[in-house]
Amino acid sequence: MTNHILQIKLLEPCLTIHGSPEDSTGCILRGTVSLNLKKPLKVKSITLRFKGMVKFKLISDLCPKRETLIEYNCDVLEPSDRVYTLGSKIHQFDFEIPLDGSLPESITTTHGSISYKLSAFVERPGLKHDVKFCTPISIRRLLSPFSSVYQEPPTTSISGVWASRFFYEVEIPTFIYSPGESIPINFKFNPLDALLQVEKVMLNVVEHSVYRCVKEAPIVQSNQYSNIIEEFKKPMGQTWSTSFSVSLPQEIQFDCETKYIEVNHTLFARFFLNTTEGYMESVQLYFPITIQPTDQPRVCGDVPPPDYSRFAPPIYEEC
C-alpha cells in the first residue's frame, strides 16, 4: 500500500528553542497525522516516533559514525485487543510532543550533521503491510538578548599604537553575517614616525570546526576563505584610511556550539610596516564573527516562550 494516504502536517516547519541548553524551557512539536482513506481500513494502532541523530563522516572514516540523541514514541491511536476499522474519509489526529531545551540544534557541516525526523506508523493486522510516513524536523536555537553574547558582544573596533610610533584603528559594522554577504572593513592609519609606511594588508576568514565522537579524541579542522592581499607601492601620507569588502562564500558553514559539533569563524586582519631600520614588522588583529542563516532572527526579542499549560505537572509523593 502506498503511503500517500498518510501524512504529517506540522504547525511549524522549524522549531525554535529559546535560550542556552542550561536554562532553556525547550519547545513543543505540534501537528496533525492525516490519514486519507478512499475505502475502509483495518488498523491496530497509529504511532509517532521522534528521533534525533548525530552523524560523523571524517576523512579517515570508511563509513559514517552514528549516535542517537533522542528517540521518543507516542501513540495517536492506542493499540488494543480489538482491531479498529476506519471509515472512508480523512482521519486527523492532533499531537503535541514536548522537547527538552538541551537538545542540540540542527546543523549540516562538511564532516558531520545533527538531524531530526518524525515518523508515523500505521500498524495493520495480520500479514498486511504497515503504512509509514517520515518528515524531517529542523531545530534552531535563539539566544536571549540578555545572554552574554549580546550583553558583551565580540569587538567590532580595534585601535592601538605600535611601538609608540604608529597609530591604527580597524572597524567592522557588526559581528553577525550570512553566507553570500560581504564584511566591510575600514582601516585608519596615522604614522607618528613619518618614515614608517604600510607595505601591505592581508585579510581572510578562518572557519574552525570541532567534531566530538564518543570515546574518541576531538577532531579539529580549519578552512580559510576570502583571502585578500593589497600592496601599497608608494607612501600614503601622514594620516590616511582605506577600506575593503570581504566576501563570504555561499558554502561557508553556519556557526553552532553543541557538545558534538562546534563551528566558529574569525576575521583576521594583518598589516605590514616597513620600518626605517629596514625590517618588516606585522600587526595581526582578529574579529570573532557569527555566520547564521539569512532568515534567522538575531535574538529572541519579544517572541514568547512555548506554552506548557496543556501538560500536567509531575506528581510528587508525600514523604
Side-chain angles (χ1 to χ4, degrees):
M1 178 179 293
T2 57
N3 67 354
H4 67 272
I5 67 170
L6 180 63
Q7 288 187 336
I8 299 175
K9 300 176 181 179
L10 299 174
L11 187 63
E12 296 176 287
C14 179
L15 299 177
T16 301
I17 294 180
H18 300 266
S20 67
E22 294 76 22
D23 57 22
S24 175
T25 57
C27 62
I28 301 174
L29 175 59
R30 292 186 175 97
T32 302
V33 176
S34 178
L35 191 59
N36 188 1
L37 300 180
K38 302 300 181 182
K39 58 182 181 180
L41 184 72
K42 294 186 180 298
V43 172
K44 292 185 66 177
S45 67
I46 301 177
T47 304
L48 283 175
R49 177 183 299 157
F50 177 77
K51 190 171 185 178
M53 297 286 295
V54 57
K55 300 178 185 178
F56 300 100
K57 181 63 173 74
L58 304 178
I59 297 174
S60 59
D61 293 337
L62 296 177
C63 58
K65 295 181 174 67
R66 303 169 185 264
E67 296 178 30
T68 300
L69 299 173
I70 181 176
E71 186 166 346
Y72 177 85
N73 297 298
C74 67
D75 296 316
V76 294
L77 185 62
E78 295 184 358
S80 68
D81 295 335
R82 64 186 182 87
V83 174
Y84 299 96
T85 300
L86 303 181
S88 53
K89 65 175 185 177
I90 299 177
H91 299 265
Q92 294 187 329
F93 306 88
D94 295 334
F95 63 86
E96 292 183 333
I97 302 175
L99 301 178
D100 192 85
S102 63
L103 285 175
E105 56 267 35
S106 304
I107 185 73
T108 299
T109 68
T110 306
H111 299 295
S113 67
I114 296 173
S115 61
Y116 301 89
K117 70 176 181 179
L118 182 65
S119 304
F121 302 89
V122 177
E123 184 186 7
R124 308 286 314 286
L127 299 178
K128 298 182 182 296
H129 292 293
D130 296 341
V131 186
K132 178 182 177 181
F133 182 85
C134 297
T135 186
I137 304 294
S138 178
I139 295 179
R140 66 182 179 183
R141 183 179 300 279
L142 292 185
L143 295 179
S144 164
F146 303 105
S147 67
S148 60
V149 173
Y150 296 100
Q151 293 296 304
E152 301 175 7
T155 183
T156 57
S157 177
I158 302 176
S159 61
V161 178
W162 176 81
S164 301
R165 300 165 62 190
F166 189 89
F167 172 82
Y168 59 87
E169 184 177 7
V170 186
E171 293 181 324
I172 59 176
T174 180
F175 67 93
I176 300 178
Y177 297 92
S178 297
E181 292 185 344
S182 295
I183 306 174
I185 181 168
N186 299 312
F187 290 81
K188 186 182 296 182
F189 298 123
N190 184 7
L192 306 179
D193 181 342
L195 297 179
L196 275 175
Q197 296 295 331
V198 177
E199 186 78 12
K200 63 181 175 181
V201 170
M202 298 178 62
L203 301 168
N204 68 300
V205 174
V206 177
E207 178 180 85
H208 305 275
S209 302
V210 181
Y211 301 91
R212 295 186 179 90
C213 304
V214 174
K215 299 180 181 180
E216 294 188 21
I219 304 297
V220 180
Q221 296 183 333
S222 295
N223 292 316
Q224 290 192 14
Y225 300 100
S226 310
N227 293 303
I228 295 176
I229 301 176
E230 181 75 17
E231 296 185 353
F232 302 94
K233 299 297 185 181
K234 59 182 181 179
M236 303 300 290
Q238 186 65 22
T239 301
W240 60 284
S241 60
T242 185
S243 60
F244 300 89
S245 181
V246 181
S247 299
L248 298 174
Q250 292 290 347
E251 65 268 20
I252 197 168
Q253 299 174 148
F254 300 130
D255 276 53
C256 73
E257 186 175 354
T258 73
K259 62 184 291 187
Y260 304 97
I261 299 175
E262 283 187 37
V263 180
N264 59 70
H265 297 83
T266 304
L267 170 63
F268 284 92
R270 190 178 186 187
F271 61 89
F272 295 79
L273 297 173
N274 196 350
T275 69
T276 55
E277 295 82 6
Y279 298 108
M280 185 77 73
E281 299 286 352
S282 67
V283 177
Q284 181 165 289
L285 311 172
Y286 65 94
F287 297 87
I289 58 174
T290 299
I291 308 299
Q292 67 177 33
T294 306
D295 59 349
Q296 178 170 315
R298 302 205 168 177
V299 293
C300 296
D302 298 325
V303 179
D307 179 14
Y308 289 95
S309 59
R310 296 189 182 185
F311 296 94
I315 299 175
Y316 298 96
E317 294 182 359
E318 294 183 1
C319 297

